[in-house]
Amino acid sequence: MHIGIDVGGTKIEGLALDHGRELARLRVATPRDDYDATLRAIRQIVAALEAHAGPAAHVGLGIPGAIDPDSGLVKNANSTWLIGRPLTIDLESALGRPVRIANDANCFAVSEATDGAAAGAGVVFGVIVGTGTGAGVIVHGQLLTGRHAIAGEWGHNPLPWPDADEWPGPPCYCGRSGCIETFLSGPGLAADYRRSTGVILEPPDVVRRADNGEGAAEATLARYEHRMAKALAAVINVLDPDVIVLGGGMSNIERVYRRVPLIWGHYVFGATEAGGHAPGSSGAARVRTQLVRAKHGDSSGVRGAAWLWPAR
Ligand SMILES: [Zn+2]
């Protein structure tokens, strides 16, 4: 039996998982700005899950940040009260057993590569496109954390192959402009629609208007798909994944799975006519990478945390 804990900005969710089968699940409000209370909440969740599902030898934890491989301290967390804390050691001491901690987008990728939409694939790039953009890399079943624990952090790279009106791009909270996140996140799509119409809408409403034939909404989604194709083509050129899995709120836009693969061939190295294939044929056909929607939806974070300890 595996226990996974997903520490979010508003809730902490716990899951007891037995070979992919959910035995128990519960969630509590995150004690914001209180590190000791966060440790206590996690300990209580683990105890409650074990009362229901039996003992677990380890615990996996997903956080909106990462453990610095050199110092062992939390970094890059938007749950700022975790930053600089030795969370792994403190939890191992509180729980009396080994704990593994990974970035929440990495947990998402682990979940989808283990028994989700990319199960069995060799190289997987798992992307969360929601209020922000995060991603994780799985190579032959192994999570790639990287030297700085930032592998997959592609959302704050600049949008590649920018058109004139995409440069320098919108300002990003990270201090730069034109980050992929400023275009592909939900707020990024909403901002694009607002720039062209002056109207503030949530992304699902933009999609609905495009479905109803509104030109401005359709143009916003077409720009969105083109930008996602460019951003993911750059990933394909570096990582060459078998499968790219999308999660988060923007993964609910059904049309991206059809349209983005029709565009990305123009940017993937060797997939265009300049790369040497027959004139007139579509570059898209030469890109074998699959773009798929997450299977486990919002559960992927906590499931992936549980899967941080491999099944035995
Ligand atoms: Zn940025």
Side-chain angles (χ1 to χ4, degrees), residues 208-241:
R208 212 164 293 127
R209 287 191 179 200
D211 288 344
N212 292 334
E214 186 197 282
E218 171 60 36
T220 290
L221 285 188
R223 284 191 295 274
Y224 184 84
E225 288 151 3
H226 204 110
R227 289 161 180 165
M228 182 178 280
K230 290 194 283 196
L232 292 179
V235 171
I236 294 173
N237 286 344
V238 174
L239 192 64
D240 200 2

Side-chain angles (χ1 to χ4, degrees), residues 78-193:
N78 56 18
S79 298
T80 50
W81 64 96
L82 301 178
I83 290 175
R85 300 288 192 155
L87 184 57
T88 311
I89 289 172
D90 287 345
L91 274 179
E92 287 185 336
S93 154
L95 298 172
R97 74 198 84 181
V99 171
R100 284 184 183 165
I101 299 180
N103 172 260
D104 48 12
N106 286 4
C107 290
F108 165 80
V110 168
S111 170
E112 292 297 328
T114 303
D115 66 347
V123 177
V124 178
F125 191 66
V127 189
I128 297 178
V129 272
T131 52
T133 50
V137 179
I138 310 292
V139 180
H140 301 303
Q142 293 292 312
L143 172 66
L144 183 70
T145 305
R147 181 62 185 86
H148 308 93
I150 59 169
E153 289 295 344
W154 126 114
H156 296 278
N157 282 350
L159 183 73
W161 304 283
D163 293 337
D165 62 351
E166 291 168 342
W167 179 260
C172 183
Y173 75 87
C174 76
R176 301 184 187 274
S177 290
C179 293
I180 287 169
E181 177 165 315
T182 68
F183 293 106
L184 294 190
S185 65
L189 185 145
D192 183 83
Y193 183 77

